């Protein structure tokens, strides 16, 4: 099966500043893929080149399918109503309106409300509906849950999973590492215009180390220890405390978060 997107030797500079240094990247069909990077790493430029919103200097980008783009912000008129926007986008795309998709996102429930009166969650759902008009194969989501409450985030996550289930390719840009770890099949990390990692969250953890943090509470107080080898560390600590006849009241072990691993990889040279 062909990749949804193939990038070969992508280069882009702004004047003398090289932003992308011969980027190579493949995104598989039917996966949720996250492109991550600190500010200035080239993430936005890469996405804009793929979306044909920005010209690049050299290299090739092959897109196998129709694209739909959900931007973080929208320039919709303040007083337009959701169904008016849907009909307008359907006319631009020369396609029929998918009533089932609109029902699933709850668009018809707010059809009489002006855009300016919509909540953040309702706007996010409307932006997603507009991106899905025309039944795209590849969907770009830019900070799709920014500003949403917990219920809104969970609802939108479920919609994203449903899109993957029916074979859509989702490309996600997010600063929420928990969201990325929950949703994405693979992630790529950009640093100084180069891909420094591409794989699953577990593979990233294996590459940079497990980074466990051990919290031990005893009658003498609390202590915290960092380690890459949880088994040896616990055996050593508990043996030492037993030898000193110090009673352990509680032990807690935290695994390094995806955010910590991302900082380790993306921020290393930033």
């Amino acid at each position: 099966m062909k990749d949804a997107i193939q990038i070969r030797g992508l280069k882009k500079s702004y004047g003398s500043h090289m932003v992308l240094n011969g980027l190579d990247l493949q995104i598989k069909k039917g996966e949720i893929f996250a492109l991550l990077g600190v500010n200035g790493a080239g993430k936005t430029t890469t996405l804009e080149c793929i979306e044909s919103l920005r010209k690049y200097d050299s290299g090739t980008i092959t897109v196998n399918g129709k694209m739909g783009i959900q931007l973080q912000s929208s320039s919709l008129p303040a007083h337009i109503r959701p169904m008016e926007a849907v009909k307008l986008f359907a006319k631009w795309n020369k396609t029929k309106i998918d009533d089932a998709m609109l029902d699933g996102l709850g668009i018809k429930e707010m059809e009489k409300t002006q855009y300016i009166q919509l909540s953040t969650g309702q706007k996010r759902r409307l932006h997603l509906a507009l991106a899905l008009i025309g039944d795209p194969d590849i969907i770009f989501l830019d900070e799709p849950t920014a500003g949403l409450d917990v219920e809104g985030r969970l609802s939108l996550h479920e919609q994203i999973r449903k899109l993957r289930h029916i074979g859509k390719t989702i490309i996600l840009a997010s600063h929420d590492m928990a969201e990325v770890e929950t949703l994405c099949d693979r992630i790529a990390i950009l640093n100084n215009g180069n891909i420094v990692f591409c794989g699953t969250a577990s593979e990233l953890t294996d590459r940079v180390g497990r980074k466990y943090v051990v919290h031990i509470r005893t009658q003498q107080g609390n202590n915290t220890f960092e380690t890459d080898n949880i088994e040896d560390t616990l055996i050593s600590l508990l043996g030492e405390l037993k030898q000193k006849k110090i009673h352990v009241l509680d032990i807690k072990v935290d695994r390094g978060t995806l955010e910590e691993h991302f900082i380790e990889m993306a921020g290393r040279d930033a």
Side-chain angles (χ1 to χ4, degrees):
M1 182 180 293
K2 290 183 178 179
D3 291 328
I5 295 173
Q6 294 180 336
I7 301 175
R8 293 281 187 268
L10 184 64
K11 292 187 177 182
K12 173 64 180 176
S13 62
Y14 299 107
S16 61
H17 177 53
M18 182 67 71
V19 179
L20 301 178
N21 297 308
L23 200 70
D24 291 324
L25 183 64
Q26 294 80 44
I27 300 174
K28 302 174 184 177
K29 284 188 175 181
E31 72 173 341
I32 302 178
F33 185 91
L35 184 61
L36 308 178
V38 297
N39 291 336
K43 177 178 85 282
T44 299
T45 297
T46 301
L47 292 176
E48 289 179 347
C49 289
I50 298 173
E51 296 163 349
S52 299
L53 298 176
R54 187 174 298 278
K55 292 182 179 180
Y56 48 94
D57 300 332
S58 62
T60 61
I61 299 176
T62 303
V63 178
N64 295 308
K66 185 177 181 180
M67 294 188 293
I69 303 171
Q70 177 258 312
L71 300 176
Q72 182 179 355
S73 59
S74 171
S75 57
L76 288 174
H79 301 294
I80 196 171
R81 302 181 192 278
M83 285 306 299
E84 292 173 342
V86 168
K87 291 175 182 177
L88 182 61
F89 273 62
K91 186 173 182 179
W92 281 341
N93 285 273
K94 299 179 180 180
T95 188
K96 293 181 179 180
I97 296 174
D98 185 345
D99 290 325
M101 180 269 290
L102 296 180
D103 289 337
L105 291 172
I107 303 302
K108 292 186 177 180
E109 298 172 3
M110 48 178 157
E111 61 179 339
K112 296 182 180 180
T113 308
Q114 294 181 341
Y115 182 76
I116 195 173
Q117 299 171 322
L118 298 178
S119 68
T120 301
Q122 289 174 323
K123 288 179 179 178
R124 288 284 185 269
R125 285 188 277 136
L126 176 58
H127 297 164
L128 179 56
L130 297 179
L132 294 177
I133 288 176
D135 193 25
D137 306 294
I138 304 165
I139 303 159
F140 293 84
L141 303 179
D142 188 359
E143 302 287 349
T145 60
L148 297 188
D149 58 19
V150 174
E151 184 178 357
R153 288 163 57 85
L154 293 176
S155 176
L156 201 52
H157 284 180
E158 183 61 26
Q159 294 295 334
I160 293 171
R161 291 189 182 95
K162 287 180 179 178
L163 291 171
R164 177 181 60 180
H165 182 70
I166 61 176
K168 306 295 184 183
T169 302
I170 313 293
I171 300 174
L172 181 69
S174 175
H175 287 92
D176 187 334
M177 294 298 113
E179 179 171 79
V180 169
E181 191 167 16
T182 298
L183 285 177
C184 295
D185 300 298
R186 291 193 306 141
I187 60 177
I189 297 176
L190 270 167
N191 191 351
N192 293 326
N194 296 298
I195 298 290
V196 294
F197 172 82
C198 187
T200 66
S202 295
E203 289 170 343
L204 175 58
T205 299
D206 290 338
R207 179 165 171 176
V208 300
R210 288 287 170 178
K211 307 294 182 183
Y212 292 100
V213 179
V214 181
H215 306 275
I216 296 182
R217 182 164 62 92
T218 70
Q219 293 173 328
Q220 297 182 357
N222 299 321
N223 291 283
T224 300
F225 306 89
E226 293 185 3
T227 179
D228 290 332
N229 189 326
I230 187 63
E231 184 177 354
D232 289 348
T233 299
L234 281 175
I235 292 174
S236 175
L237 287 173
L238 292 176
E240 182 180 347
L241 291 170
K242 185 176 181 180
Q243 185 178 12
K244 294 180 178 179
K245 297 182 180 180
I246 297 175
H247 183 57
V248 176
L249 301 177
D250 187 35
I251 295 178
K252 181 181 178 182
V253 179
D254 292 328
R255 180 176 64 87
T257 64
L258 180 61
E259 183 170 5
E260 292 170 335
H261 300 320
F262 165 71
I263 292 171
E264 173 73 16
M265 186 66 64
R268 182 175 295 157
D269 302 318

